[in-house]
Each structure stands twice: as C-alpha cells, then as structure tokens.
Amino acid sequence: MAASHAQVSEVLVEEKSSVRILTLSRPKQLNALSFQMISRLLPLFLAYEEDPSVKLVIIKGQGRAFCAGGDVSAVARDIAQGKWRLGATFFSDEYMLNYVMATYSKPQVSILNGIVMGGGAGVSVHGRFRIATENTVFAMPETALGLFPDVGASYFLSRLPGFFGEYVGLTGARLDGAEMLACGLATHFVPSTRLTALEADLCRVGSSDPTFASTILDAYTQRPHLKLQSAYHRLDVIDRCFSRKTVEEIISALEREATQEPDDWMSATIRALKKASPASLKISLRSIREGRLQGVGQCLIREYRMVCHVMKGEISKDFVEGCRAILIDKDKNPKWEPWRLEDMKDSMVEQYFKRVDEEEGWEDLKLPPRKNLPASAIAKL
Ligand SMILES: CC(C)(COP(=O)(O)OP(=O)(O)OC[C@H]1O[C@@H](n2cnc3c(N)ncnc32)[C@H](O)[C@@H]1OP(=O)(O)O)[C@@H](O)C(=O)NCCC(=O)NCCSC(=O)/C=C/c1ccc(O)cc1
C-alpha cells in the first residue's frame, strides 16, 4: 500500500549507501508519534531487515526533541468520544514496532539529541546503539498522565541497576545524557557538535555486524561527568526505598529518610509520587516487578492488556483526566479517582493484568514471528 502524505512528511527517509536515516518530523509537536508515523516506521524497519543492501538504520528527530512520546492528545480525543478501540490499534502497532526494534537483526543507531519521553524511549532504547548528547532530556512521565510506563518499559526499566528503574518509572524523574549513559539507557555520549561527522562516518559502514558500527561510535564517545546533584549518586537511598513491596511503603521509607537527612532531591521525589495517579503508581510498580522475570515480548503482551484496561476506563478514568490536566487545559491539577493510594485496592490492580475478554472481538497482542535472528538481535538491555 502506498504511504499517505502525512506518513511521508512526518517521517523523512534518506538513503546514504548502505545506511537508511529516518527523521521524525513533527517538530512543533516535539515529534510526538502519530498513528501515521508508527504505521510508516513499522513497514520501513521490516523492509530494511529484508533488504541485503541495508546494513544499518539511523533514527533521529527534527528540532529540539527526539520524540516527546505517543501523540497523547489525539488518543485522549478518541477515548472521550467513546472510541477506545482506535487507541488500541495505535498501541498494538506501536508495541509491534518496539518488538521489531528489540529483536532487530541489523544495528539501529538512535540519536537522542533532545527530549526523549514515553513512546520516544520505546522507539530508541530497544535498539542496539543509543547516543545521548548534552541536550538529552529523558523521562518516562506516564504516572503523571494517568498511564504507566509502557512501550516495553517494564522490560528495560527493570534491567537498570538496582531499583533505579522503579525510581525513574514511578516518579517520572528527568535524566540527562550523562545519567542515561551511567545507568545503561544510552550506550554512548557524543557532543552534539560532533553528530554530523559521526553520521557521515556511520554511512561508510559496510556490514550489519554491530562491531563495525561500535568501532566508529567508540571513536566519538566521551565520558561526561555526572552533575553533583544527580540521582545516580543516590543509588543507595533509591535501592533502600524503591525496593519496598508497595507504593505506600516506598513513600514511607522516603519520608523516614527525609526526616533524618532532608534535602531537595528527597522532597522532589516524595512530591512527584504524591502528585501522580495512585492507580498509575500501583499498576506501574507491579508491571516493572513482573517485567524483571519476563522477556521483552511477554512484557509487551502484558502491557497491551494493561493499556486496553486504561483506555476502557472501567477501573479508573485517570488517563483522560491526566491528559486534560497536563496537555489540554494545562491546569496541572488532575483530580485522580481513586484519590488516595489506600483506595486503590489490590483487587483493582489485579484487573489491569487480566485479559479484556468480555469485549467483543478483542484479542491479545500478537507479535510477529522473528526467524533466523543472529545472536546480536536479542533484546539489548
Ligand atoms: C516537557 C515537554 C516534553 C516539553 O515542554 P515544553 O518545552 O514546555 O513544550 P510544550 O509543552 O509547549 O510542547 C510543545 C508542543 O508539543 C506538544 N506535545 C508535547 N508532547 C506531546 C505529546 N506527547 N503528545 C502530543 N503533543 C505533545 C504540546 O502539546 C505543545 O503543543 P501546542 O500546545 O499546540 O504548542 C512537554 O511537552 C510534555 O510534558 N509533554 C508530554 C510528555 C509526555 O507526557 N509524553 C507522553 C508519555 S506517554 C506516551 O508516550 C504514550 C502516549 C499515548 C497514549 C495513548 C495512546 O493511544 C497513544 C500514545
């Protein structure tokens, strides 16, 4: 099927010898992923995998963002009009793309020279090489939006050192390029002034064996210093608090630490948790914990069940409320339901992890078979 005008104009394609460069191009919306973008990226990635003349794929963003996430406002509109199944189609295609990237047989180089949030992490972190710069701002902000870290985040967050993934996923904390590199979300750090030269060098790669791209990237990478206030210096406190079994225990542990040694980081962390959707916090914690024991495909299948429940809104309607408060009315004052953590009962959390089976025609996410993959194609974190 021919690509539509929106598909073509929102993802720019350049062919440079054996390399394909894909540029996410909705700069005014910070390259938020539209349905058209996802449905263009997926067939392109599949075609490049089949094409022996393609050895490497570069993905980057136009303007000040790599990608600020899925286009939340479009989906919130659909849900408000009772069309949550349209959103489900968006997610199934998006997760499919995440899975293809996580199991991709050729190196994907993602250039993260700006904002990387939510769905933006999903189209980069699963790939082989992730290049951070001094402009990178990474976050998984979903709990502030009534959602949960999806796009395979329960896989990649649960693989971060200690309980850093729980910290990043529950609080929506922002990480800079140095922090992304330190925790493993990025594989390299390259100053933005060197990106043009790096891209030109990568275009000379003649093999899809990742060691060739790796040698080029190693020549450009730097070891940036973590800033003094970096959360990555707090791994001991993060592990002590975010390893707790429940969200309530995590907050109590942080509050105990704060009475002993109050500081700005501790207050900001507690504040972020208290402002987030209680329903989101509880399902996110369980999702990351389950992710620790699952492969990337299993994580995506489980997240798809969860996101369909979120969109159906039969347990909580926090996603529509979060979009209203953050992106539409921008009053930053969501009225969560339930409002208190203790009112989000285990039995309610449990429902998000079940099949949506009473729904006519609803099916679990079916991931495409991935055959004859080289050892380097396994999930990368
Ligand atoms: C911190 C940001 C990234 C930058 O702030 P800023 O520098 O002050 O810039 P603006 O907030 O003015 O953003 C510029 C424009 O981009 C738009 N935008 C900025 N992110 C977006 C965006 N994810 N979407 C749709 N317009 C956006 C934003 O609405 C605005 O549009 P406009 O008011 O018309 O100028 C800020 O935009 C922000 O918090 N964005 C939302 C980040 C976020 O929550 N990302 C989504 C995580 S959840 C996710 O990825 C999955 C979502 C999803 C859920 C269900 C689905 O079915 C499909 C997808």
Side-chain angles (χ1 to χ4, degrees):
M1 202 166 43
S4 71
H5 175 70
Q7 285 176 325
V8 171
S9 62
E10 294 178 356
V11 178
L12 310 179
V13 180
E14 287 170 87
E15 298 191 2
K16 294 213 175 144
S17 62
S18 56
V19 173
R20 298 293 173 272
I21 305 176
L22 303 177
T23 306
L24 307 178
S25 182
R26 290 179 83 206
K28 280 202 187 111
Q29 292 90 0
L30 306 179
N31 304 323
L33 291 173
S34 62
F35 187 60
Q36 284 84 355
M37 285 160 94
I38 305 259
S39 38
R40 174 109 168 108
L41 287 167
L42 183 57
L44 283 175
F45 266 85
L46 291 172
Y48 295 156
E49 196 163 47
E50 290 299 307
D51 182 345
S53 72
V54 177
K55 308 295 184 198
L56 179 138
V57 183
I58 296 177
I59 182 165
K60 61 184 185 175
Q62 199 167 75
R64 67 187 172 100
F66 169 74
C67 170
D71 189 335
V72 187
S73 47
V75 178
R77 264 196 312 275
D78 292 340
I79 299 176
Q81 293 168 9
K83 298 190 229 159
W84 74 269
R85 293 293 285 267
L86 284 180
T89 314
F90 176 101
F91 283 109
S92 65
D93 283 13
E94 184 181 25
Y95 295 1
M96 203 102 78
L97 176 65
N98 302 145
Y99 182 66
V100 167
M101 288 173 165
T103 53
Y104 209 55
S105 61
K106 296 179 181 179
Q108 173 187 343
V109 178
S110 305
I111 300 181
L112 309 176
N113 187 28
I115 296 163
V116 187
M117 293 190 183
V123 292
S124 56
V125 172
H126 293 294
R128 168 62 57 202
F129 300 112
R130 291 90 59 185
I131 316 306
T133 75
E134 75 283 3
N135 299 318
T136 307
V137 182
F138 174 96
M140 297 303 288
E142 288 87 349
T143 61
L145 213 62
L147 202 59
F148 63 94
D150 63 334
V151 294
S154 62
Y155 180 83
F156 63 73
L157 289 177
S158 65
R159 264 76 183 166
L160 300 188
F163 292 82
F164 197 65
E166 273 90 342
Y167 162 69
V168 169
L170 295 184
T171 62
R174 292 183 181 186
L175 306 181
D176 64 18
E179 291 169 318
M180 277 191 88
L181 184 72
C183 74
L185 284 166
T187 55
H188 297 79
F189 182 98
V190 177
S192 61
T193 49
R194 304 273 286 138
L195 290 175
T196 311
L198 169 65
E199 238 181 84
D201 268 355
L202 284 171
C203 286
R204 284 193 271 276
V205 86
S207 163
S208 57
D209 178 337
T211 53
F212 290 88
S214 181
T215 306
I216 296 170
L217 286 162
D218 287 348
Y220 283 85
T221 198
Q222 295 192 353
R223 291 199 147 268
H225 285 293
L226 284 171
K227 56 184 187 287
L228 200 61
Q229 321 86 309
S230 169
Y232 210 68
H233 294 309
R234 316 286 186 122
L235 273 184
D236 52 344
V237 186
I238 287 173
D239 286 351
R240 275 200 301 279
C241 299
F242 283 86
S243 58
R244 303 295 164 127
K245 221 169 141 208
T246 65
V247 177
E248 289 91 330
E249 287 170 52
I250 291 174
I251 296 177
S252 304
L254 284 162
E255 285 176 334
R256 271 197 306 278
E257 299 264 352
T259 54
Q260 285 154 22
E261 248 179 274
D263 70 26
D264 291 349
W265 176 84
M266 202 80 81
S267 326
T269 302
I270 295 169
R271 233 186 357 261
L273 291 173
K274 292 198 166 169
K275 205 160 169 30
S277 149
S280 293
L281 287 173
K282 288 204 173 178
I283 63 172
S284 302
L285 181 61
R286 174 153 164 193
S287 176
I288 298 169
R289 292 276 154 87
E290 287 197 9
R292 285 175 179 264
L293 303 177
Q294 294 178 319
V296 67
Q298 290 171 297
C299 286
L300 287 163
I301 290 169
R302 175 175 42 70
E303 290 174 8
Y304 182 68
R305 288 184 179 186
M306 295 171 67
V307 88
C308 286
H309 285 295
V310 167
M311 283 187 300
K312 257 188 107 180
E314 83 276 61
I315 311 153
S316 157
K317 301 195 187 327
D318 280 1
F319 178 48
V320 172
E321 174 57 9
C323 290
R324 182 204 64 72
I326 311 288
L327 286 164
I328 300 165
D329 298 345
K330 302 192 180 183
D331 61 29
K332 297 195 176 140
N333 196 16
K335 300 276 178 287
W336 304 127
E337 185 60 53
W339 178 252
R340 296 181 317 168
L341 277 168
E342 57 268 40
D343 294 332
M344 182 70 195
K345 308 281 183 213
D346 289 349
S347 59
M348 292 158 79
V349 173
E350 188 66 37
Q351 286 186 58
Y352 283 90
F353 293 78
K354 295 202 165 120
R355 287 177 47 90
V356 188
D357 48 15
E358 77 281 12
E359 186 67 33
E360 182 82 25
W362 184 90
E363 283 183 16
D364 263 327
L365 179 67
K366 283 204 181 57
L367 294 170
R370 309 284 291 142
K371 291 193 213 105
N372 305 324
L373 294 174
S376 60
I378 53 151
K380 323 292 188 299
L381 258 124

